[in-house]
Each structure stands twice: as structure tokens, then as C-alpha cells.
Amino acid sequence: MRISVLNVSAKLALSGFLITVILAALSATTLIGLLYSSHDRGFNIPEMDRVQSHYSDSRLIAAMKGPMYQYVTEDGDIDVIAKWIADGAQDDGFFKDEVMYIISEDCQKCHSRNSQMSKAITSMPFSSYEDIVQYTEGGYSWTQMARTAHIHLFGIAVFLVIVSMIMAYSSFRPWMKSLLISAGWIALWLDIGSWWMARFYSGFAYVISVAGTVEIVAVCAMSGLCLLNLWCRLPAIVLEPAEQ
Amino acid sequence: MRISVLNVSAKLALSGFLITVILAALSATTLIGLLYSSHDRGFNIPEMDRVQSHYSDSRLIAAMKGPMYQYVTEDGDIDVIAKWIADGAQDDGFFKDEVMYIISEDCQKCHSRNSQMSKAITSMPFSSYEDIVQYTEGGYSWTQMARTAHIHLFGIAVFLVIVSMIMAYSSFRPWMKSLLISAGWIALWLDIGSWWMARFYSGFAYVISVAGTVEIVAVCAMSGLCLLNLWCRLPAIVLEPAEQ
Amino acid sequence: MRSFMQTPAGYIGSLVLLSGAALSCALSSAVQAANETLTSVKTDTTIILDGMAESAWDKAPELSIQLDNLPYKADNYGGMSSVNVRLKSLYDEHFIYLLVQYNDPTKSLARFPWEKQADGSWKQLKGKDQTGHDNVFYEDKLALLWNINARGFAKKGCDVACHMQDDSGKINGFDQTGKAPGRKYTRDGETIDIWHWKSVRMNPLGLIDDQYIDSVNDPAVNGEWGRHGDSKTGGGYVDNVNAEKTGPAFMNRTQGNVDGYTITPSQKTPFVDTFREGDRIPGIMSEPFTGSRGDIWAKGDWRDGRWTIEIKRALVTTGENAGVQDVQFSDLSKAYSFGVSVFDNSQIDHLYHEGAYDLIFK
Amino acid sequence: MRSFMQTPAGYIGSLVLLSGAALSCALSSAVQAANETLTSVKTDTTIILDGMAESAWDKAPELSIQLDNLPYKADNYGGMSSVNVRLKSLYDEHFIYLLVQYNDPTKSLARFPWEKQADGSWKQLKGKDQTGHDNVFYEDKLALLWNINARGFAKKGCDVACHMQDDSGKINGFDQTGKAPGRKYTRDGETIDIWHWKSVRMNPLGLIDDQYIDSVNDPAVNGEWGRHGDSKTGGGYVDNVNAEKTGPAFMNRTQGNVDGYTITPSQKTPFVDTFREGDRIPGIMSEPFTGSRGDIWAKGDWRDGRWTIEIKRALVTTGENAGVQDVQFSDLSKAYSFGVSVFDNSQIDHLYHEGAYDLIFK
């Protein structure tokens, strides 16, 4: 069976689905661009340091790089604190001499139980090791990960199996079909798996970006190719030999 | 038609789907284990009293049994407040004499607009009947239930119909296919229905647990069996006689 | 097994077995942890109350308690926001002994002293907060609360006696705005014993102010609500102020004592002004309590940023109203619930812990 | 191309190319936004310092800065909670000029005045807050802070010099409870220039109090910590109080001047009490600073709810320690970071903005 031999109604049904999937993929891409760039409108290329920060940085570092950046005296200060966290965030001499100095210069004025500054955050004091260490764990928690993963895996599985099956019954060469279908599923697992792995090694942020890109490209490619196959005559070069 | 006779592309498409469903089911199980246990990492067995409290207790009682338990003078105090809620949580003499006394002794020191205690929660005062009554409704409200149920029913229906259809066209014995497919759907209805029923009788928390377990087992079993059927030779004992 | 699994009934059976196993695990509930305990160990050595831990204390196990809560934010509180208190206990045939140690960077003794001004007049130094209580010119204090028969004390600790202002500034219906952030009282018929160690007023005399909390919850009955001193036959504190209230009435015979921020009977001398600007004279005079209120002995010593306090009391007291006002360690197989609190140069704002601890005898 | 795409390797290659392109875009990082700038424009007109903006100012572009933060909540602060400050700048061969304008509904000048009481005695009016600083009987002030070489100033502005009490009321380890909510000091070897305009004490003399911040962070070294007046050869403020501290020592020759809440040299007259109840006499006397501390000229005028202040200083100063204490506009191609702050009848509580602004010359 081939989708090209379906009746017109069925072709319309599949086409509606495939076009909607492409629109949804564009929306998702837009969302990712907004979340990982400093812009709040338009289509944006995600900024790698933000992706990395979201998936692997502790709340403390993410805040210093993000919303609290204006209060950081120099970028090197963030590196000092990141080094301390990477070394295990211990209550050691380095913490007392280096980290607390930066915290007291850059954070404590507002992050203090008694602060009366206009932007005081008395509920999140940074006065002691105990106050600070709770913001040093990086990336997704187990609960966040489990919640986000189950929603995305179920949701993506459902539309991707339909796209894949349409692709499987298109007239393209078998290697093209197998390649795109496999790429879609494997990229999905790599992407979501890396959300979690980035917590342990920030390099997985690159896997997230590449796998996410492959995922979007594979979905859009399959949808686009199937649409062509439904309504157009295709050049022989892309078709399965039996179809030529 | 049998799924075992599909072309390789289609087998890849279905396999990607089935593996993703199993991964998603594992994520959901992890999430449930984290939500209903006292742990914040790893894979956990849900604790029954937490399940029961989540689905049937009011927020006030759930807090007194859970995170705020250390501030409750005696367990009997929880029963007094539970009785008041069971009787309709009215602004009556019982409320003024018994309930407010317990609230003032056990809660108000921190739950007060002006509290300066170290653990003050000024944003959630318990000073008056109006302050308190909003935390007395048990379990899911109609709105919460309608919202949560429609999301889960639509979402689960879509992936479960695909899993079921793949199962239906597998080579297994008809009774196995019918059993697993029925178990999946019936467990779903029992599970979500009990979310609501537990509001009236907390024993339904057991139904939620059993039905949820059956649901997960059925989905994973169908997915696993279909994967085997797609790529392996199976022993005759499990196959439909015509296939042997 | 094969034939069992082959039937629908067998299959359902397996499923049920599986879910049952999962469920039974789920049903096992967590065990609640018991209170942490301070173990009192029998001793046959004489314990000398001098604020220094002799070797006899080495055999007593230590209980460490973190105090990191304050009941209110005094606007001029400059004290510690958390402190770790370490406790040990010994006992012999007649007495129980406690050793209390905690770090406090400041030895605070200047409790409402008189200070001579540039113009020759005298001024009593005070630093009141928004509730009218001092956190600047006060003294270091420590309180141990022992449950006598208060409901919930074994679980919630001192908190059962603590009543803070409600949203309208009232406690039990009485407006306390600007008067007190909270008051202490129990439920009807319940009492709690307080061992209130005061570094200025009682430490020089080697005593603790033995107090208790009962259910008085009306300031017309008692200005301190449920807080009372134990029954006494004599002794106590008097403000050191002349009839015109313009200066002190008495002074210490030897003014060189830097810790002398109270006037003890042996030091008491009529005031003669031969002082220079900035000189200080105690604002209070102390005489030893006699009777039930003076039946706990204690001596604290501050050294290198740390208070060490040794305490001694009869296991069973026999003073007036001892049954109501004092905890009685009459059954050494029982656990006795207590709480501990530190006042860092503060009149009422105190560092406390949540819950209660248990004292047991071994 | 056709044959390339036809092979599996070619197909994979295309995919990799695509993702690579997306990724390289993703790696490009965002450019940080520069500070907003105040542009100083060259003028050949003589600017008259009178607190009124002549037409020469029309050609200078305006920078508007919103100040809407306060460092602490003074318990008797009644001033503005936000204000918009508008700045312009001109320069000529030797001098830089600044025009500062902001709305302030109250002209506050009554800085610690003496007031005659009903019984004929004199009382100096004060209204101190919880930190011992006045917000009731004080004066309107403005401060411009110019970076000399402080790390981070170009990004964080005045904040780099600001140190507030920590949770235990300490700054750099020194207890500041009841003394000051915060202190100003820099890191070792760094200084910041302060142009501190004071409407009562210096405005009548047409000067600004030229100060600076250095790294002194110990009150034993300097009671004002890092804050200092520039080096001076004479002049300054003296409290107007008699030897008995019961009343003023001097008064203004003509008492009719409503703005006369300081006594200038030309007005200074020994105090003779011919006054009636409620009459006021300045609590302070001012003489013009000479030397580096007096090398900035300024005049402010309050009219219809708005302060207008004109300021003039040499582009390059040459007084004692000018290199350390003064910002030097020696390279007109450079950007000079600054911050601005308004004190609405407040001794230390000031409206400030976050970050820094840049002055450039065109």
C-alpha cells in the first residue's frame, strides 16, 4: 500500500495533519528561541550559554548569569562561585575567603533577613553557608524531570508515530524512510535523556541542541516529503525503484 | 493483517513509538513515586497514606498530617478539625470554641499577617473563619477534577488506542490481546473515576493505586510484547494457532 | 507454570499477585523518630560549681541542640541569630547536675547601668525596642523549661506555652500592641518549670531564678501573665535608684570589678559621687532568694567567647508548692521533657529550638 | 548534487550541515547593552551660576534618570519615594558645567534649628530615626558620584561602595546596630569622587562640598569609614551652640531671610535674645572651603516645586591630592561613569538608581 493511492478525502485528512504538525513544530521552535535568548518577541536562535545554564547550572549561577547579572561586579566573580560549586560547594576556606566576599559585596545587601533596601528579599537570605548551599544543586530535580519527561514523551510519541507511519507508506526510497524515521525517534530519546544528563556534565547541552535540531528537521522533512508524495509527481531519483 | 509482516520502515516507526511509550510510562511511575513518598530522588514505592491524603483530605488536614505535623499539639486535634470539616465547616459555635482554639494554639503564631516569628507565613494567615474555610474542601474540586480529567483522558486515550491497535494486530493468542487491551482501558476509567470518588470515601485511594498499577503494567506489557512480535521469533505457545 | 499462564484465570492471577506485592510495600508507613535525649550519668565525684568543667564531666555524653529561631524581630537586636548549645548531665544520690556550654562572642553584662554625664548628672542607659524591651543594655541569660504536666510539651516543647499577638495585636483578647510581642501561659491546671539563669542579677550569688508558668492569661491578675517566680521567703532584686529618681542610691564598695553590674549585699555601700564622666554604677541590687525560688545553684563563666554554666538541684525538691512549681526527678526510669533557650543581651527576644528533648537517667 | 543526495552518506551529510548551521548561530552570544549617556556639548557662552537655566543650555541634550530606590526604611522618613532627575552638561576650554533639575514638592531647609520655647529656653529641633539620623529637621541634598578607579563602578554604579548591615547588624565585622544602616567604602587602592551639594550649609556660599570615598573600612580609623572631605586649607561647618550647650552662640545679622538656616561669615553676629516663642535661629555656621574641598562652584534655586542646580568645575583640578580625590576630565574622548542621588530632607536615606551612567564629550 502507498499513501499516493489513497482517495482524495483520506489525502485531505493526512495533509491537514501534516501541515498542522509543521505549524506546531514552528511554534515549538519559536518558543525555544524565546526561552533561550534575551529577546521576548520574534524568531530567535537559542543562545548556547542560556541552554547550558538552564539545564546544568545551579540556581545561584543561573541567577548571577541571568536576572541578577546587573548586581555582579565582574564576570570573573561568577567563575569563582562556579568553581566552588564544581568542587563540591564545601564549607571550606575557599568558601569563607572568596565566595562569601563576593556574596557579601554583590548579594547580601538585599538577600538578608534584615534588609530594608527597596529590593530587599528577606525570605531568601544569603548570610551563612546553610543559606547559600541550597541553591547550588544543578539542573533538573528528579521530580521536575519525571514530570516534564512523561508529558513530552507521551505527547511526542503520539504525533511522531503517525508522521512515521505515513512516511513508512510513502513512495520514497526505503533508505530515506528508515533514516528519517530512525532519526526522529533516536533524536527524541537523546534530547530528553540529555536534559537529565546535563545536570551532571554541562556538555550535554550541546547534545540537547543538536538532537533538538535533528528532531525538528526530521519531523518537518517527513511531513513535507509526505505532502509532496500525496499531491505531486516526484522525480524518479527519490522514489523506490518499483514505483518508477 | 499482522504487524509482523510490515515493511522495515513501518516496523521502525512502530518500534520507536513503543519504546517511547515504555520510557514515558517509567517517567510517570517515577513521578508518582516522588509525589507520594517522602523522598526527592530515585524510584520510590508510593506511600498509601500520602495517596489517601492527596485525594481525600482537605489542604488543612493534609498539612496537619504532613509537613505541619510537628506543630500539632496532639493527634486528637486533627480529628477535631476533621470532624468540623466533615460536618460542613460552618462558622458555628463548634468552630469558635474548638476549632479556633486549636488553630490559635497550633497555627496562628506563624500563620498571621503580622507574625515576626522566624518561620512566619504572613501570606497565609489563619485569623478568621474566612481565612481558614478556603482550605477545608477535600480532594479535587469540581473545577480541578474537570481540568485534570479532561487533560489525562484525552491524552491517554490517544496513545492507548495506538498501543491497543498495534496489539490487536499482533500475532498473540486472542485471549491475551483482549485481556490486556481491556485491562488497559478499564483500569484507566477506574483510576481517574476514583480520583473524584476518593473525595467522598477515602477507600477509593486503594482503587487508585491498584488501577494505576494495572494500567502501567498493561501498557508496558503490550508495548513489550509488540516489540518482540515485530523483531523476534516467538514460541508457539503464545501465538495464535493459525500463525504456528 | 506454563499451563497456568496459558489460561485467562492464570494470567489475571499473575497480574493480581504483581499489584498486590506493589501495594503491600506501599502500605508500610514510616516510623516517627523519638525525641533526642540527654542521658544523665551517675557520678560519685563532687562537682564544684565554678563554670569550669572538671574531668568528672568527661564520662557524660553530650547532647548538642541548635537554636535558630527568634519569636520576633526586635528593631535594635544585635545578638546572635543562631547558636549551638551543648548539654551534659550527671546525678548522684541527691542531686542532678547540668553542664551547659555555648559560644557567644560578646559577654553582655551592662544591664541598665547608671552613667555619669559630662554635666555631672547621671543617666540610666536603656535601649528599648518597638515592644518596650531592651536589647542593648541588658544581660546574657539562659532558660531551661521542664515539663511538669503540660499537654503537648513532650512533642512541641516550650511552644505550648507561647502565645503571640494575633492580627489585631491581641493576646487572649487583651491588646498588647507596644507592650509585648507574646506572652507565656499554659492550659488550666498545667504548669511548666523554668530554670532562668541570669548572668548579671543572680550569677554573682551562685543561684538560678527558679520560676514557673501556669495558666494565668489575664494581665489584671498578673502583669507577667503565666510567668511567676517560685514561692520565696526572702531575697530578690531592687532597682538601684534614689528617691528623686535622678541617680543611683547605692554603689559597690569596690568599683573595680568589671563584672559588677549588680550590687550584692556584701558590696552594698551608700552612693557618694566621686566619679568622672563616663563612669558607670549598677542599676540593680540583688540578694539571694530564700525558699523554693532559691533552690537551684549555678555558676557561669565566660571565657574566650564561650559561656560555661554548671547547675545543681536536688532530684526532688521539698519547698513550698514544690509539687506544682518544680519538676521532680522522682522516678529515674522516666523520661523528662525539656527545652532550652538563650537570651543574647536581650530582655525577652530569645533563640529557641522547635520540639522538645528528653532527659533520661542511666 | 543529485548523485550526492542519492547516497546515504550524502543524506547524512546534508543533515549535519543543517544542524551545524543552526548550532553556530546559537553559539553567537548577545552583545551587552552600553550605559545610557549624558553628552556634554561645547559652549562659548558664559554660564552664570544662579540656579536659572539660560538659553545656552538649550543646545545640550537632556538625560533623564529615575531614582526609585532607598537603602533603608527610616521610621520617620516623610520624603519622596521616587524622583526623576534631568541632567544636561556643557563644557568650554577650562570648565565643565552641569545643569540638574528635579521636582521636590517641599523645600527643606530647617536643619537642626534652635527654637525658642514657651518658658524662654531654647531647644535644638531634631527628629532622629532608628539609626540616629535625621529625616525631619534636615536639608535637601544632591550627590553626584564619579568613578575614579573603582572596580565594577561602570556596571553597578554607586552600589560598589555601599555596604549594608549583615544579619547580625555588622559591617565588616563592626557592630553598627543603631549607628548606621550602611557604610560607604571601596576596595584597596580605589577611590570615587563625590560632589555633595547641600542646600543649607553650602548653597548660600555658592559651593559644593567636594568629597571622596576610599577603602577605609574601620570606624577606629575614620568615623565616617571611607567617606572623607577633600583636602582643605580652611573653611567648613561649626555647630552654632553656646558653651553651656543651652542655646545658640551666634545669629544672623538680618533675621528676615527665610532661607537663612545657616550663618554665613557676612551675617555672623553674637547672639542677643530679643526673640519670641517659636522664633528660630540656625543651628549651624558655614564658611567657604578653601583648597581642594572648595573647588566646585554651584548654585541651586527652588521655585514652584522644582530644584534647579547649576554646577561648574575645572575639567582638570590641580589641588592637593587632586589625582586621588577628584575625577579628572583630561581625555575628552573617554566616557566617565557616574551615579546620582537625591536626599529629600534626609541625613543619609537617599533616593538612588541602579547601575551607572556615562558622561561623554562631543
Side-chain angles (χ1 to χ4, degrees), chain B residues 43-72:
Chain B
F43 304 93
N44 305 282
I45 306 282
E47 292 162 17
M48 201 56 213
D49 51 350
R50 289 196 177 232
V51 176
Q52 213 157 7
S53 186
H54 177 83
Y55 286 102
S56 69
D57 282 346
S58 61
R59 283 184 65 187
L60 183 58
I61 296 294
M64 289 181 88
K65 286 181 181 172
M68 295 292 131
Y69 180 71
Q70 59 176 308
Y71 303 107
V72 176

Side-chain angles (χ1 to χ4, degrees), chain B residues 203-222:
Chain B
F204 276 100
Y206 292 93
V207 180
I208 295 173
S209 301
V210 174
T213 310
V214 171
E215 174 79 17
I216 297 275
V217 169
V219 166
C220 290
M222 285 193 278

Side-chain angles (χ1 to χ4, degrees), chain C residues 14-15 30 47 49 78 93 190 197 215 245 250 264 270 296 330 332 356:
Chain C
S14 318
L15 267 187
I47 304 297
L49 299 190
E93 208 176 331
E190 299 178 351
W197 176 79
S215 62
K245 298 191 189 301
F250 295 92
T264 54
I296 312 177
S330 49
L332 301 193

Side-chain angles (χ1 to χ4, degrees), chain D residues 56 67 76 89 218 262 298:
Chain D
L67 314 188
N76 60 3
S89 178
D218 180 345
T262 190

